[in-house]
Amino acid sequence: MTEIDKNRDIDRAELLGAKETESKLESLTNNFKPQNGQKPFMMVIRNTYKLWSDYMKSIAMEAGIPDSYRMVLTYLLRHPGANQKDIAIYRDVKTATISQAVKEMQLRGYLEKESDPDDQRYVKLYLTEKGRTCAEELHQRIQHADACITEFLTPEREREMIGIMQELSEFIGKELPSCPGGH
């Protein structure tokens, strides 16, 4: 077999592989096309998250605080002495976002800073009485909203959905990039 024949066979094999990949991708794509006017799955998840996020913002507004305060208050209620970086990582936001909220919250009496005696660079955050009262009210409202959702779904369906969403998160994070047509 000559070098030209070998290259031709390689080109044919690559073409067949590309066509097979294209066929798989088309099959996958067809599975995600809306059926009977139904929105694509990930769009439904996005819309649901947006509604939840908007509801959380409205809870903060009703409490008379910006949503950025809610994120800090509820975190510090569960993790007294945390630092700004801890909150930023947990909330998946930039540290600068948390820093600005912390600065304002300290001025308004919701929290206080305390330097770590072992490392002066490390600043711990603690809720004041005003901050704790507000955080506990927010926490109760969020728990109530969660309970309403659980009641609507039933505990069994909620557990099932949590399992599905955890699997989906893992799939998107690890396997989706290697799917045909992925990055």
Side-chain angles (χ1 to χ4, degrees):
M1 180 180 272
T2 68
E3 196 63 36
I4 293 172
D5 290 333
K6 285 181 188 175
N7 286 339
R8 204 175 293 137
D9 286 346
I10 291 171
D11 288 344
R12 243 184 260 143
E14 286 176 354
L15 182 61
L16 288 173
K19 284 185 178 181
E20 185 178 302
T21 299
E22 189 176 307
S23 174
K24 285 181 184 176
L25 182 58
E26 187 176 326
S27 173
L28 281 171
T29 305
N30 286 336
N31 288 335
F32 290 107
K33 286 185 178 171
Q35 304 286 324
N36 302 326
Q38 188 176 23
K39 291 182 179 180
F41 181 68
M42 293 307 293
M43 184 180 285
V44 172
I45 290 174
R46 182 207 163 280
N47 290 347
T48 303
Y49 173 76
K50 180 160 181 0
L51 287 169
W52 175 255
S53 182
D54 290 347
Y55 184 75
M56 289 294 102
K57 287 176 187 174
S58 74
I59 286 176
M61 287 178 62
E62 287 172 12
I65 60 168
D67 193 48
S68 57
Y69 288 23
R70 176 188 58 83
M71 295 189 305
V72 175
L73 289 168
T74 55
Y75 188 85
L76 289 177
L77 184 64
R78 292 185 319 276
H79 306 282
N83 66 18
Q84 294 177 30
K85 185 176 179 183
D86 296 334
I87 300 168
I89 289 169
Y90 181 77
R91 295 295 181 182
D92 194 25
V93 296
K94 294 182 180 179
T95 306
T97 302
I98 299 299
S99 296
Q100 183 60 39
V102 164
K103 181 191 265 185
E104 292 171 15
M105 292 173 73
Q106 187 179 17
L107 289 171
R108 294 188 177 161
Y110 287 99
L111 61 80
E112 49 193 29
K113 294 179 178 182
E114 184 181 297
S115 293
D116 187 327
D118 298 330
D119 185 351
Q120 294 295 315
R121 296 171 298 167
Y122 186 83
V123 177
K124 295 179 179 185
L125 303 173
Y126 294 95
L127 295 174
T128 61
E129 190 57 41
K130 177 181 178 179
R132 181 173 318 291
T133 300
C134 187
E136 286 171 351
E137 179 187 333
L138 290 168
H139 183 71
Q140 285 178 336
R141 290 174 135 183
I142 293 166
Q143 281 187 316
H144 176 73
D146 277 338
C148 288
I149 290 170
T150 300
E151 186 178 328
F152 168 75
L153 289 174
T154 73
E156 297 79 25
R157 285 178 61 200
E158 182 182 52
R159 280 191 297 279
E160 183 181 352
M161 287 182 72
I162 289 170
I164 290 168
M165 296 309 296
Q166 287 172 334
E167 286 179 40
L168 182 61
S169 293
E170 204 169 293
F171 173 80
I172 290 171
K174 294 179 181 174
E175 297 178 39
L176 184 61
S178 61
C179 275
H183 298 289

